[in-house]
Amino acid sequence: KKGSTNGLCVFNDDCVNLAIEKLKMAAVLQYTLPGVPCLYYGDENGMEGHIDPFCRRCFNWEHLNEELIEHYSKLSKIRETYRKIFAEGTWKEVFVDDGLLIYKREYKGQALYIYTNNSSSEHFFKKDGKIFKELLKDAAYADGIKILPNSYGIAEEISKS
């Protein structure tokens, strides 16, 4: 409930938006780490769980979070498009430090770099001679990826021609 407190933060629009961004970041990990992602109904709409018997109520069709639903939809499409990478490819940790995690999923020369930056620092992942197509934001980067604070992404590595 907005305006109330849970002892950690006041539930206002800023707190709710931050929680939604953290949920999106977690979903990027869930959909790109090895294994099959599993959603409990309502996760894609940001439904909250509570103590039993109210651990999950009926799906609220009247209050849909279209932005969050679109995020989960994009993640599903990425998993479908790059099915071989996620099903048969390798996983390699590239960098981890102070809230930043970068890992690579690769299959037969096709590579995706996944990053989550759960910190207030900006980073640059340098990779000379490569172009990266950011799959969640419809952007492209040359020679590396600029990683903003509290951000996440999935970038396909493309060689320069």
Side-chain angles (χ1 to χ4, degrees):
K1 182 188 282 188
K2 290 183 182 175
S4 65
T5 182
N6 68 355
L8 299 174
C9 79
V10 174
F11 290 135
N12 58 29
D13 287 337
D14 290 339
C15 188
V16 169
N17 291 336
L18 177 63
I20 288 171
E21 286 304 307
K22 297 295 182 186
L23 177 58
K24 287 178 175 180
M25 185 182 296
V28 167
L29 295 171
Q30 181 180 26
Y31 272 71
T32 60
L33 284 168
V36 178
C38 180
L39 293 179
Y40 192 63
Y41 82 93
D43 287 349
E44 74 281 11
N45 194 41
M47 286 180 58
E48 298 176 25
H50 299 284
I51 299 170
D52 279 337
F54 304 109
C55 54
R56 193 58 67 110
R57 295 185 176 159
C58 295
F59 193 92
N60 190 342
W61 291 100
E62 294 177 13
H63 297 93
L64 298 177
N65 184 323
E66 298 293 343
E67 178 185 348
L68 194 52
I69 291 169
E70 177 63 25
H71 180 71
Y72 276 92
S73 177
K74 280 183 183 179
L75 290 172
S76 294
K77 287 175 187 168
I78 290 168
R79 274 196 70 92
E80 183 178 337
T81 301
Y82 299 92
R83 179 183 308 265
K84 289 284 190 180
I85 287 177
F86 293 113
E88 300 176 36
T90 60
W91 178 93
K92 180 183 177 189
E93 181 182 290
V94 175
F95 183 83
V96 61
D97 187 43
D98 195 31
L100 174 63
L101 170 64
I102 303 171
Y103 55 93
K104 180 179 180 181
R105 299 296 309 260
E106 185 173 22
Y107 180 74
K108 292 189 176 180
Q110 186 177 31
L112 297 178
Y113 285 85
I114 295 92
Y115 61 90
T116 58
N117 183 9
N118 195 26
S119 77
S120 58
S121 300
E122 184 176 296
H123 299 274
F124 189 78
F125 174 61
K126 187 173 176 73
K127 198 131 177 209
D128 291 331
K130 299 292 181 181
I131 295 174
F132 293 92
K133 178 183 175 189
E134 170 54 66
L135 302 176
L136 289 174
K137 300 177 185 85
D138 196 29
Y141 308 104
D143 298 321
I145 305 168
K146 183 178 183 180
I147 302 173
L148 299 175
N150 299 302
S151 68
Y152 47 84
I154 303 170
E156 180 178 12
E157 179 184 87
I158 303 169
S159 296
K160 283 188 174 178
S161 38

